[in-house]
Amino acid sequence: MDYWDRLGWKDVFSSAAYSDRQRQYASWLNLRSVYTPQIVVNGRKEFVGSEASTLRSTLKKDLGGQAALPAVHQQP
């Protein structure tokens, strides 16, 4: 079953490539489960977009350094 279809309905935009990407994020970021992070900063920190103060402090701290993960490109 595709990651996107697990809630009991078929997502017409689902793709095995997108599911693979989500599993790769979970692996890279040592997440307990697969989900779609709203923000990933420099491959080190993931969180939801409503965490504005976390975003600001993470951007200040991490964007000056080298990325921890390779860039992930969306599939066409």
Side-chain angles (χ1 to χ4, degrees):
M1 178 180 291
D2 194 58
Y3 162 77
W4 304 99
D5 298 331
R6 69 186 172 148
L7 298 177
W9 51 273
K10 174 72 175 149
D11 184 341
V12 298
F13 298 106
S14 69
S15 165
Y18 300 153
S19 294
D20 290 344
R21 181 180 59 202
Q22 296 312 106
R23 284 188 286 275
Q24 189 65 63
Y25 268 134
S27 174
W28 283 335
L29 296 167
N30 297 313
L31 301 176
R32 287 186 229 153
S33 64
V34 175
Y35 88 108
T36 305
Q38 291 178 323
I39 300 170
V40 176
V41 177
N42 230 14
R44 289 184 172 86
K45 177 81 175 156
E46 53 75 31
F47 45 91
V48 296
S50 61
E51 297 177 12
S53 62
T54 303
L55 173 60
R56 282 191 291 275
S57 65
T58 302
L59 288 174
K60 277 183 174 180
K61 184 175 110 181
D62 288 350
L63 283 186
Q66 185 174 358
L69 304 176
V72 176
H73 301 283
Q74 289 189 356
Q75 302 295 320

